[in-house]
Amino acid sequence: MPHVAPLCPAGHLPHKGGDQPAGYSSPISDVGRKAITSKLLISPLVGEMSGRTEGGNVGRILLQLIALFAALFLALTPAHAQSVEELVRQLPEGSYSDRGKIVAQLAATGDVRLVPLLEALAAGELNVVEETGQVVTTAPSGDTVRLTDALTAETAGEASKGAVVRIRVNNSLRRAVRAAIGQLTLMSDSAATRRSAAEAMFNAAEPDNLALLDEALAQEEHAGVRRTMEQARAASILKTDASAEQIAEAVDTISARGDRAALGILTAMLGQADDDVRPAIQEGIKAIEAHLALLDVGQNVWYGISLGSVLLLAAIGLAITFGVMGVINMAHGEMVMIGAYTTFVVQNIVRTSFPGLFEWTLAFALPVAFLVTALIGIAIERGIIRWLYGRPLETLLATWGLSLIIQQAVRSIFGASNREVGNPTWMSGSFDFYGIAMTWNRFWIVVFALAVFAILLVVMKRTALGLQMRAVTQNRRMASSMGIRTPWVDALTFGLGSGIAGLAGVALSQIDNVSPNLGQGYIIDSFMVVVFGGVGNLWGTLVGALTLGVVNKFLEPYAGAVLAKILVLVFIILFIQKRPRGLFALKGRAVEA
Amino acid sequence: MIEKMGSTRRLLGAAALAAMLAQAGPAVAQDETIKVGILHSLSGTMAISETTLKDVMLMLVEEQNKKGGLLGKQLEPVVVDIASDWPLAAEKARELIEVNKVDAVFGCWTSVCRKSVLPVFEELNSLLFYPVQYEGEESQRNVFYTGASPNQQAIPAVDYLMNEEGVERWVLAGTDYVYPQTTNKILEAYLKDKGVAAEDIMINYTPFGHSDWQTIVSDIKNFGSSGKKTAVVSTINGDANVPFYRELGNQGIAAEDIPVVAFSVGEEELAGLDTAPLVGHLAAWNYFMSVDTPENASFIETWHAFIGNEDRVTNDPMEAHYIGFNMWAAAVEKAQSTEADAVIDAIVGVEVPNLTGGTAVMLANHHVTKPVLIGEIQDDGQFDVVWETEGLVPGDAWSDYLPESAVLEADWTDPVNCGNYNTETKSCGGSM
Amino acid sequence: MITQRLLNALGGRILWVAAILIAVAILVPASNLLLPVGHPLRVPNYMVALLGKYLTYAMLALALDLVWGYVGILSLGHGAFFALGGYAMGMYLMRQIGDRGVYANPDLPDFMVFLNWQELPWYWWGFDQFWFAMLMVMLVPGLLAFVFGWFAFRSRVTGVYLSIITQAMTYALMLSFFRNDMGFGGNNGLTDFKDILGYPIQATGTRATLFAITALALAASLLICSAITRSKLGKVMVAVRDAESRTRFIGYRPEYVKLFAFVVSAVIAGIAGALYVPQVGIINPGEFAPANSIEVVVWTAIGGRGTLFGPIIGAVLVNYAKSWFTAAYPELWLFALGGLFVAVTLFLPRGIVGAIGQLRHYWRSRSARDEGGAPPETPETEQVAAEKTVRARSTAASPVLGAAKPQPAE
């Protein structure tokens, strides 16, 4: 059977008449090669098609040869001979690699007008008017689109939607564009832009960049940017046939950078370096690796804390209903899920009605999710749980049944597929903390989990409700005699636990699927956390969640994700044998069963 | 016997049995309709993907009925829920065939579902159309594989990355089940064949529904910072993708640096994601909703009208069902019968249009020909086709890159008539 | 004395149920094999396979009842024993395929061949022998239960904690069996069996025989469980359930009693699993899913725990409902199942059997007693009420779960 797939241009579909795949081993051909050939003024085809050559074969061949040379000549003409405008007009057509070369030529012109154009190109916002070949950006206005010339930024009238075609980009082209933008913005006024330009040049090091970098370095005053530029320069030097001395210096500069990118450059360099510079490179690599090994530990701790905080959020509501009230709420995961769906609904309302407030979605979603899930929780308590006090295992069955009903209900209402909950910008991306990469969403979730924990602690210890809750759980009859409305406190406690699950749902909607199965994934883990930490103890839940998170993350690199999880489960089973009441067991007579 | 047991007043168990025997499913098959079984999970973990396929099947049956049905009869869909419970799938398949007397079944998504129902179809000699890309290494007389086999998805995608993006270092990341395992085995063999060193391949497996991707994404990042161009080939399954891509986006892995090409991420999966940070990551399929052909436009229009929601997307397995259903209908017309044997004989060589402007042909190995498309994720959740195979790629049941299966060949036409014909010993291998 | 009466009464019923099971074991296969196709009294092939599956589930529910209904151990991991038994059987069936697999490899199962396994892992050795496989069917679940129980019961892990770690156990096993590196076929599990003891597995005769064996095995397990629970040991078991500490103070060793029941129960579950696999034709890690084990608890609860035959009724009824709903109203199945959970725990705390018993009792002595009230407090028989007070007292002693016990909130 054939196994090498035929490869072909993108964009338009080739003929697919037959069932016989053509040309298995054909090389990748480029999308616009045909287009380019036909754009040439004189092409071999002209001779063929003119059909005027009655001089027989010789004349025809001669004509073809001339045409061929002409074509070759045109193709080899140095690019800088062409103006920026001409180059821009060539952007829409050609293979991705040819267009990458055009982008490089554009960058070489140093024309800063090109920066917004290239940015639009990378973002896929650049269009070409089919008739005129003009490169434009568009803005929708009714049925037509308003055109703006991409180079001059002048308005260029309107056109129907069908008249403009988006200029396609792929990854390799985007890379070329990024490098080009780097070259063009190296002298920008803003330090941040200059730094990212230097960073781009560091990543796409080219000997050609040296001159530009030297020029930029000569006038750079900002120390940080200067360092990045020097690193970019060093990386570029490594690509040249510089002297051993220069190379050693460059290696030093890069080693000092000390991150993965530097390691990558040095490792790549090691293979092709001369013997005399090799020790220096090896030393640099070793230094970086030692540094990175240290960072890895820190990174793992952070990952562990972040996983732990997710577990904490999922489990803390359970710690109330299970730990404080003794109710095994298997529908807890579904409360989390409802919280996530509430976020989805709130975000949709915000999107359609108040698009300006999108960044604040989560702030709106938090109270709404809390209220919705707390109310559902209270309803569950009043409707089902209160009949089952003292029969913990039966609450397990009833709430499990409830969880099935809620799941299927959500599936019927919202559909089985995932729903999109967007991240606000302050929860996207990452930042660098002494070399440890921290993503913003994880960071905020850690903060949020701790905040929820603290608030819960305050509620339990410092408010009347907390006092009553504790009183009821400690001695129901006595509490009742003191005038506490115990059924009411039960309902509120369950509502609080469920409401916190709803809050967890808001947070989880930022990192996980919002689907009817969301809660299922967390319920077992949450129980493990509560049981491990010690039932009836909020601090136990905190310590339990963080411990399990960190242990899991330290095991993962060695054992793999699956085995790590299995090991953690086995660890919990063994731990419970040792301490049947969990980490923070309650001491005293009460513990005896 | 039923009477006797029912008469014993106290015996609840017996009464239950009797009740069961009395109501052996909905009535006997009617002659006026041709029944089509739809065997998908409508609840449980797989409902997320499979519910759509049930809907698309209902739509296809409805459309066919509008055209006058088949052989002058109306089609009647019979929907069952396998609830993501694989032994239940076998039970339901048996029920569809024996009790409901369906003539063909369209269904299953996971490999384990297919493996579970396969003996039933073999035993009762019925037809199953399986619409999802899978690991290959199988060809059964009663099953038609309308999704892609590895050579119709994985290998062209790797070729693209190698040739177009110049990738030299590979991360093969997948969920730990048979499709990623097999696909990665095939890819590993293929890459080594192409001269990629062992240390330039990293293989990683995660459990189903994995949601904490921090470590793995940072491992990928580290692996990719060795100076060689790196790409991730992802066979990560369904639910785990959303947190995976989120983590990728947040850790700042842009497609330009480390592109991810996915085999299980389609329009449906992206619907749950903000795709802006993912622009440029790739997927390899045989169909994209964005493909601009009249067939596709009318398919999408029909789908939107059927489902009553303009926002619903279409995806590759839906197209596979479209192809499979049309092939079955064409084969039934050709054979003038819905008998399994007649259809099996008639369907090989049947040619129906696919949605990407070509035609799908049922091959002798019960796989179909497909174009391979590579699409880049766009910020609107759609894919932009950046590359595609020149012609159609015939599905290969047995991979040529695994030593044991390289010698095997499937051909369900005379004289071979075997799902695993050993070309070396010239004999039909196992008992299939 | 009351308990004595109760046990005697149950013993009578259990004999009845066992007799019916034996009759079913004969009649169903006979009707399937002897009556012509289309005969109104013939049990169709499809139904034989289905009933066989239900009966294995019933056996699993029975096994759970022995530990939950009589010793008070709510195991949320019984599916694990069932699945392990099933895997042992599946491994035997895999080895029976021999060189008829798609790659025609005489030793290695297909999934190992295409994942490049070179040789059979050691834990697959011996499974080509039927006797060895049967031994493992009982030994593996029994051993796991022994080790697990040994640690858990000696450490006095009870109540909810025990339930949750049994759940952790089955969850960990599920994750392990999902791993392809384990050599059990990963997510796909073991499938595509050809024959058992030389008989083709899909033949009607084999199916009918398997069904008969299942029904007989169920009857036998029922009688064994009944004998255990009616013995002196059985009374200690009930004592452990109702007041573990008190039993210990009297001088018994509750951990051994529990361990015994747990191991017996696991072995029965393992046998059920072994009978299940050839009848459904597949075993995969999904059987380990915690949700499955919880479902078993529900069958038991619905039928009526602590009655031994109640769980059998519960398992058959719920599974029949599942078969019916997933075909007739696929979207409603989870609503129905969930609703059943809630309704049974609220309104039928003693399950169907208990409810019918209560109803009969109620009609007989309606003038003597009137205990109507809030929904869950349905009329109770003397025995049930007495038992309940004991249970309430024992659970009240638990710090977490008791509502009337001093306990700091944190």
Side-chain angles (χ1 to χ4, degrees), chain A residues 397 400 408 461 470 474 535-536 577 580-581 590 593, chain C residues 151-152 155 161 245 341 399-400 405-407 409-410:
Chain A
L397 295 185
W400 174 258
Q408 192 63 16
K461 295 239 163 164
R470 284 181 293 149
Q474 282 170 19
V535 175
Q577 316 293 344
R581 296 284 171 232
Chain C
F151 287 113
S155 317
Y161 294 87
S245 304
F341 275 52
V400 194
K405 206 58 193 166
Q407 185 212 349
E410 286 149 47

PDB file of all heavy atoms in Angstrom, chain A residues 397 400 408 461 470 474 535-536 577 580-581 590 593, chain C residues 151-152 155 161 245 341 399-400 405-407 409-410:
ATOM      1  N   LEU A 397     -25.892   8.191  48.852  1.00  0.00           N
ATOM      2  CA  LEU A 397     -26.670   7.656  47.733  1.00  0.00           C
ATOM      3  C   LEU A 397     -27.600   8.712  47.160  1.00  0.00           C
ATOM      4  O   LEU A 397     -27.683   8.899  45.943  1.00  0.00           O
ATOM      5  CB  LEU A 397     -27.488   6.460  48.199  1.00  0.00           C
ATOM      6  CG  LEU A 397     -26.674   5.262  48.641  1.00  0.00           C
ATOM      7  CD1 LEU A 397     -27.583   4.102  48.956  1.00  0.00           C
ATOM      8  CD2 LEU A 397     -25.711   4.872  47.549  1.00  0.00           C
ATOM      9  N   TRP A 400     -25.734  11.348  45.319  1.00  0.00           N
ATOM     10  CA  TRP A 400     -25.182  10.811  44.066  1.00  0.00           C
ATOM     11  C   TRP A 400     -26.279  10.803  42.996  1.00  0.00           C
ATOM     12  O   TRP A 400     -26.061  11.203  41.848  1.00  0.00           O
ATOM     13  CB  TRP A 400     -24.633   9.408  44.300  1.00  0.00           C
ATOM     14  CG  TRP A 400     -24.165   8.722  43.056  1.00  0.00           C
ATOM     15  CD1 TRP A 400     -24.824   7.760  42.354  1.00  0.00           C
ATOM     16  CD2 TRP A 400     -22.949   8.959  42.357  1.00  0.00           C
ATOM     17  NE1 TRP A 400     -24.084   7.381  41.272  1.00  0.00           N
ATOM     18  CE2 TRP A 400     -22.929   8.095  41.240  1.00  0.00           C
ATOM     19  CE3 TRP A 400     -21.868   9.820  42.558  1.00  0.00           C
ATOM     20  CZ2 TRP A 400     -21.867   8.050  40.331  1.00  0.00           C
ATOM     21  CZ3 TRP A 400     -20.818   9.785  41.650  1.00  0.00           C
ATOM     22  CH2 TRP A 400     -20.822   8.920  40.556  1.00  0.00           C
ATOM     23  N   GLN A 408     -27.487  15.622  33.994  1.00  0.00           N
ATOM     24  CA  GLN A 408     -28.286  15.418  32.800  1.00  0.00           C
ATOM     25  C   GLN A 408     -29.120  16.660  32.504  1.00  0.00           C
ATOM     26  O   GLN A 408     -29.349  17.006  31.353  1.00  0.00           O
ATOM     27  CB  GLN A 408     -29.162  14.173  32.966  1.00  0.00           C
ATOM     28  CG  GLN A 408     -29.825  13.689  31.696  1.00  0.00           C
ATOM     29  CD  GLN A 408     -28.825  13.239  30.626  1.00  0.00           C
ATOM     30  OE1 GLN A 408     -27.662  13.020  30.911  1.00  0.00           O
ATOM     31  NE2 GLN A 408     -29.295  13.126  29.398  1.00  0.00           N
ATOM     32  N   LYS A 461     -15.323  31.619  62.599  1.00  0.00           N
ATOM     33  CA  LYS A 461     -14.819  31.961  63.929  1.00  0.00           C
ATOM     34  C   LYS A 461     -15.393  33.255  64.473  1.00  0.00           C
ATOM     35  O   LYS A 461     -15.454  33.436  65.677  1.00  0.00           O
ATOM     36  CB  LYS A 461     -13.289  32.105  63.875  1.00  0.00           C
ATOM     37  CG  LYS A 461     -12.602  30.816  63.542  1.00  0.00           C
ATOM     38  CD  LYS A 461     -11.649  30.421  64.627  1.00  0.00           C
ATOM     39  CE  LYS A 461     -11.302  28.960  64.467  1.00  0.00           C
ATOM     40  NZ  LYS A 461     -10.145  28.520  65.187  1.00  0.00           N
ATOM     41  N   ARG A 470     -21.212  26.128  64.624  1.00  0.00           N
ATOM     42  CA  ARG A 470     -20.384  25.286  65.469  1.00  0.00           C
ATOM     43  C   ARG A 470     -21.193  24.744  66.633  1.00  0.00           C
ATOM     44  O   ARG A 470     -21.070  23.580  67.014  1.00  0.00           O
ATOM     45  CB  ARG A 470     -19.167  26.052  65.958  1.00  0.00           C
ATOM     46  CG  ARG A 470     -18.111  26.197  64.857  1.00  0.00           C
ATOM     47  CD  ARG A 470     -16.902  26.932  65.336  1.00  0.00           C
ATOM     48  NE  ARG A 470     -17.234  28.326  65.634  1.00  0.00           N
ATOM     49  CZ  ARG A 470     -16.631  29.037  66.579  1.00  0.00           C
ATOM     50  NH1 ARG A 470     -15.690  28.510  67.296  1.00  0.00           N
ATOM     51  NH2 ARG A 470     -16.982  30.293  66.788  1.00  0.00           N
ATOM     52  N   GLN A 474     -21.854  20.858  67.404  1.00  0.00           N
ATOM     53  CA  GLN A 474     -21.314  20.286  68.630  1.00  0.00           C
ATOM     54  C   GLN A 474     -22.394  19.660  69.493  1.00  0.00           C
ATOM     55  O   GLN A 474     -22.231  18.572  70.017  1.00  0.00           O
ATOM     56  CB  GLN A 474     -20.565  21.357  69.418  1.00  0.00           C
ATOM     57  CG  GLN A 474     -19.197  21.620  68.832  1.00  0.00           C
ATOM     58  CD  GLN A 474     -18.562  22.841  69.447  1.00  0.00           C
ATOM     59  OE1 GLN A 474     -18.953  23.281  70.526  1.00  0.00           O
ATOM     60  NE2 GLN A 474     -17.589  23.404  68.763  1.00  0.00           N
ATOM     61  N   VAL A 535     -11.176  15.155  58.721  1.00  0.00           N
ATOM     62  CA  VAL A 535     -12.526  15.673  58.587  1.00  0.00           C
ATOM     63  C   VAL A 535     -12.841  16.621  59.730  1.00  0.00           C
ATOM     64  O   VAL A 535     -12.427  16.410  60.858  1.00  0.00           O
ATOM     65  CB  VAL A 535     -13.507  14.488  58.562  1.00  0.00           C
ATOM     66  CG1 VAL A 535     -14.926  14.992  58.559  1.00  0.00           C
ATOM     67  CG2 VAL A 535     -13.228  13.643  57.354  1.00  0.00           C
ATOM     68  N   GLY A 536     -13.543  17.671  59.415  1.00  0.00           N
ATOM     69  CA  GLY A 536     -13.968  18.595  60.449  1.00  0.00           C
ATOM     70  C   GLY A 536     -12.914  19.627  60.778  1.00  0.00           C
ATOM     71  O   GLY A 536     -12.984  20.292  61.795  1.00  0.00           O
ATOM     72  N   GLN A 577      -4.581   4.268  56.905  1.00  0.00           N
ATOM     73  CA  GLN A 577      -4.357   3.143  57.814  1.00  0.00           C
ATOM     74  C   GLN A 577      -3.584   3.613  59.042  1.00  0.00           C
ATOM     75  O   GLN A 577      -3.829   3.185  60.149  1.00  0.00           O
ATOM     76  CB  GLN A 577      -3.524   2.041  57.133  1.00  0.00           C
ATOM     77  CG  GLN A 577      -3.913   1.703  55.733  1.00  0.00           C
ATOM     78  CD  GLN A 577      -5.262   1.049  55.646  1.00  0.00           C
ATOM     79  OE1 GLN A 577      -5.798   0.574  56.636  1.00  0.00           O
ATOM     80  NE2 GLN A 577      -5.833   1.037  54.461  1.00  0.00           N
ATOM     81  N   PRO A 580      -6.224   6.938  60.941  1.00  0.00           N
ATOM     82  CA  PRO A 580      -7.576   6.732  60.397  1.00  0.00           C
ATOM     83  C   PRO A 580      -8.428   7.992  60.380  1.00  0.00           C
ATOM     84  O   PRO A 580      -9.462   8.005  59.732  1.00  0.00           O
ATOM     85  CB  PRO A 580      -8.175   5.691  61.331  1.00  0.00           C
ATOM     86  CG  PRO A 580      -7.024   5.034  61.984  1.00  0.00           C
ATOM     87  CD  PRO A 580      -5.945   6.055  62.072  1.00  0.00           C
ATOM     88  N   ARG A 581      -8.037   8.997  61.087  1.00  0.00           N
ATOM     89  CA  ARG A 581      -8.855  10.214  61.098  1.00  0.00           C
ATOM     90  C   ARG A 581      -8.202  11.364  60.336  1.00  0.00           C
ATOM     91  O   ARG A 581      -8.565  12.506  60.531  1.00  0.00           O
ATOM     92  CB  ARG A 581      -9.142  10.653  62.534  1.00  0.00           C
ATOM     93  CG  ARG A 581      -9.958   9.662  63.318  1.00  0.00           C
ATOM     94  CD  ARG A 581     -11.416   9.708  62.914  1.00  0.00           C
ATOM     95  NE  ARG A 581     -12.156   8.621  63.516  1.00  0.00           N
ATOM     96  CZ  ARG A 581     -12.926   7.777  62.838  1.00  0.00           C
ATOM     97  NH1 ARG A 581     -13.053   7.895  61.548  1.00  0.00           N
ATOM     98  NH2 ARG A 581     -13.565   6.822  63.444  1.00  0.00           N
ATOM     99  N   ALA A 590     -14.232  11.844  71.681  1.00  0.00           N
ATOM    100  CA  ALA A 590     -15.159  11.958  70.562  1.00  0.00           C
ATOM    101  C   ALA A 590     -14.718  11.096  69.377  1.00  0.00           C
ATOM    102  O   ALA A 590     -15.521  10.678  68.575  1.00  0.00           O
ATOM    103  CB  ALA A 590     -15.267  13.406  70.127  1.00  0.00           C
ATOM    104  N   ALA A 593     -15.108   5.457  67.928  1.00  0.00           N
ATOM    105  CA  ALA A 593     -16.371   5.088  67.287  1.00  0.00           C
ATOM    106  C   ALA A 593     -17.078   4.026  68.119  1.00  0.00           C
ATOM    107  O   ALA A 593     -16.439   3.213  68.730  1.00  0.00           O
ATOM    108  CB  ALA A 593     -16.103   4.549  65.902  1.00  0.00           C
TER     109      ALA A 593
ATOM    110  N   PHE C 151      -5.257  -4.340  56.711  1.00  0.00           N
ATOM    111  CA  PHE C 151      -4.774  -3.035  57.180  1.00  0.00           C
ATOM    112  C   PHE C 151      -5.914  -2.158  57.655  1.00  0.00           C
ATOM    113  O   PHE C 151      -5.857  -1.588  58.745  1.00  0.00           O
ATOM    114  CB  PHE C 151      -3.990  -2.335  56.067  1.00  0.00           C
ATOM    115  CG  PHE C 151      -2.649  -2.943  55.833  1.00  0.00           C
ATOM    116  CD1 PHE C 151      -2.353  -3.600  54.657  1.00  0.00           C
ATOM    117  CD2 PHE C 151      -1.675  -2.854  56.811  1.00  0.00           C
ATOM    118  CE1 PHE C 151      -1.111  -4.166  54.454  1.00  0.00           C
ATOM    119  CE2 PHE C 151      -0.423  -3.418  56.616  1.00  0.00           C
ATOM    120  CZ  PHE C 151      -0.149  -4.079  55.429  1.00  0.00           C
ATOM    121  N   ALA C 152      -6.952  -2.097  56.851  1.00  0.00           N
ATOM    122  CA  ALA C 152      -8.016  -1.134  57.156  1.00  0.00           C
ATOM    123  C   ALA C 152      -8.741  -1.503  58.446  1.00  0.00           C
ATOM    124  O   ALA C 152      -8.979  -0.647  59.296  1.00  0.00           O
ATOM    125  CB  ALA C 152      -8.990  -1.066  55.998  1.00  0.00           C
ATOM    126  N   SER C 155      -6.626  -1.098  61.595  1.00  0.00           N
ATOM    127  CA  SER C 155      -6.435   0.311  61.963  1.00  0.00           C
ATOM    128  C   SER C 155      -7.755   0.945  62.354  1.00  0.00           C
ATOM    129  O   SER C 155      -7.822   2.136  62.605  1.00  0.00           O
ATOM    130  CB  SER C 155      -5.851   1.100  60.791  1.00  0.00           C
ATOM    131  OG  SER C 155      -4.849   0.385  60.166  1.00  0.00           O
ATOM    132  N   TYR C 161     -14.893   6.871  56.177  1.00  0.00           N
ATOM    133  CA  TYR C 161     -13.481   6.795  55.798  1.00  0.00           C
ATOM    134  C   TYR C 161     -13.217   5.548  55.002  1.00  0.00           C
ATOM    135  O   TYR C 161     -12.527   5.553  53.986  1.00  0.00           O
ATOM    136  CB  TYR C 161     -12.601   6.798  57.050  1.00  0.00           C
ATOM    137  CG  TYR C 161     -12.673   8.075  57.793  1.00  0.00           C
ATOM    138  CD1 TYR C 161     -13.652   8.278  58.747  1.00  0.00           C
ATOM    139  CD2 TYR C 161     -11.785   9.099  57.515  1.00  0.00           C
ATOM    140  CE1 TYR C 161     -13.735   9.472  59.421  1.00  0.00           C
ATOM    141  CE2 TYR C 161     -11.856  10.286  58.191  1.00  0.00           C
ATOM    142  CZ  TYR C 161     -12.836  10.472  59.148  1.00  0.00           C
ATOM    143  OH  TYR C 161     -12.916  11.657  59.801  1.00  0.00           O
ATOM    144  N   SER C 245     -17.951  -1.309  68.921  1.00  0.00           N
ATOM    145  CA  SER C 245     -17.171  -1.193  70.151  1.00  0.00           C
ATOM    146  C   SER C 245     -17.687  -2.172  71.190  1.00  0.00           C
ATOM    147  O   SER C 245     -16.912  -2.862  71.858  1.00  0.00           O
ATOM    148  CB  SER C 245     -17.268   0.221  70.701  1.00  0.00           C
ATOM    149  OG  SER C 245     -16.858   1.123  69.715  1.00  0.00           O
ATOM    150  N   PHE C 341     -32.477   6.800  42.976  1.00  0.00           N
ATOM    151  CA  PHE C 341     -31.574   6.899  44.128  1.00  0.00           C
ATOM    152  C   PHE C 341     -32.239   7.699  45.228  1.00  0.00           C
ATOM    153  O   PHE C 341     -32.307   7.283  46.377  1.00  0.00           O
ATOM    154  CB  PHE C 341     -30.315   7.694  43.736  1.00  0.00           C
ATOM    155  CG  PHE C 341     -29.228   6.912  43.086  1.00  0.00           C
ATOM    156  CD1 PHE C 341     -29.482   6.120  42.002  1.00  0.00           C
ATOM    157  CD2 PHE C 341     -27.941   7.002  43.553  1.00  0.00           C
ATOM    158  CE1 PHE C 341     -28.457   5.431  41.388  1.00  0.00           C
ATOM    159  CE2 PHE C 341     -26.911   6.322  42.950  1.00  0.00           C
ATOM    160  CZ  PHE C 341     -27.168   5.539  41.872  1.00  0.00           C
ATOM    161  N   PRO C 399     -17.795  10.793  65.541  1.00  0.00           N
ATOM    162  CA  PRO C 399     -17.645  12.221  65.824  1.00  0.00           C
ATOM    163  C   PRO C 399     -18.124  13.078  64.670  1.00  0.00           C
ATOM    164  O   PRO C 399     -18.658  14.158  64.874  1.00  0.00           O
ATOM    165  CB  PRO C 399     -16.142  12.371  66.028  1.00  0.00           C
ATOM    166  CG  PRO C 399     -15.550  11.247  65.253  1.00  0.00           C
ATOM    167  CD  PRO C 399     -16.520  10.137  65.323  1.00  0.00           C
ATOM    168  N   VAL C 400     -17.882  12.595  63.492  1.00  0.00           N
ATOM    169  CA  VAL C 400     -18.154  13.418  62.336  1.00  0.00           C
ATOM    170  C   VAL C 400     -19.626  13.431  62.036  1.00  0.00           C
ATOM    171  O   VAL C 400     -20.201  14.441  61.650  1.00  0.00           O
ATOM    172  CB  VAL C 400     -17.470  12.778  61.122  1.00  0.00           C
ATOM    173  CG1 VAL C 400     -17.447  13.765  60.019  1.00  0.00           C
ATOM    174  CG2 VAL C 400     -16.128  12.262  61.486  1.00  0.00           C
ATOM    175  N   LYS C 405     -23.212  15.089  69.334  1.00  0.00           N
ATOM    176  CA  LYS C 405     -21.959  14.757  70.008  1.00  0.00           C
ATOM    177  C   LYS C 405     -21.107  16.007  70.073  1.00  0.00           C
ATOM    178  O   LYS C 405     -21.028  16.784  69.132  1.00  0.00           O
ATOM    179  CB  LYS C 405     -21.260  13.697  69.147  1.00  0.00           C
ATOM    180  CG  LYS C 405     -20.330  12.778  69.865  1.00  0.00           C
ATOM    181  CD  LYS C 405     -20.957  12.000  70.966  1.00  0.00           C
ATOM    182  CE  LYS C 405     -19.827  11.388  71.752  1.00  0.00           C
ATOM    183  NZ  LYS C 405     -20.185  10.863  73.006  1.00  0.00           N
ATOM    184  N   PRO C 406     -20.419  16.216  71.171  1.00  0.00           N
ATOM    185  CA  PRO C 406     -19.572  17.406  71.233  1.00  0.00           C
ATOM    186  C   PRO C 406     -18.456  17.296  70.196  1.00  0.00           C
ATOM    187  O   PRO C 406     -17.832  16.243  70.067  1.00  0.00           O
ATOM    188  CB  PRO C 406     -18.985  17.369  72.647  1.00  0.00           C
ATOM    189  CG  PRO C 406     -19.482  16.136  73.282  1.00  0.00           C
ATOM    190  CD  PRO C 406     -20.367  15.402  72.360  1.00  0.00           C
ATOM    191  N   GLN C 407     -18.272  18.338  69.509  1.00  0.00           N
ATOM    192  CA  GLN C 407     -17.236  18.276  68.477  1.00  0.00           C
ATOM    193  C   GLN C 407     -16.879  19.689  68.050  1.00  0.00           C
ATOM    194  O   GLN C 407     -17.742  20.458  67.653  1.00  0.00           O
ATOM    195  CB  GLN C 407     -17.768  17.510  67.271  1.00  0.00           C
ATOM    196  CG  GLN C 407     -16.740  17.295  66.215  1.00  0.00           C
ATOM    197  CD  GLN C 407     -17.353  17.282  64.842  1.00  0.00           C
ATOM    198  OE1 GLN C 407     -18.571  17.234  64.683  1.00  0.00           O
ATOM    199  NE2 GLN C 407     -16.511  17.357  63.846  1.00  0.00           N
ATOM    200  N   ALA C 409     -15.705  22.643  65.752  1.00  0.00           N
ATOM    201  CA  ALA C 409     -15.969  22.836  64.331  1.00  0.00           C
ATOM    202  C   ALA C 409     -14.709  22.677  63.513  1.00  0.00           C
ATOM    203  O   ALA C 409     -14.740  22.295  62.358  1.00  0.00           O
ATOM    204  CB  ALA C 409     -16.581  24.190  64.085  1.00  0.00           C
ATOM    205  N   GLU C 410     -13.600  23.037  64.097  1.00  0.00           N
ATOM    206  CA  GLU C 410     -12.377  22.920  63.303  1.00  0.00           C
ATOM    207  C   GLU C 410     -11.331  22.184  64.107  1.00  0.00           C
ATOM    208  O   GLU C 410     -11.221  22.390  65.292  1.00  0.00           O
ATOM    209  CB  GLU C 410     -11.828  24.296  62.957  1.00  0.00           C
ATOM    210  CG  GLU C 410     -12.622  24.988  61.916  1.00  0.00           C
ATOM    211  CD  GLU C 410     -12.551  26.479  62.154  1.00  0.00           C
ATOM    212  OE1 GLU C 410     -11.446  26.976  62.379  1.00  0.00           O
ATOM    213  OE2 GLU C 410     -13.605  27.108  62.155  1.00  0.00           O
TER     214      GLU C 410
END
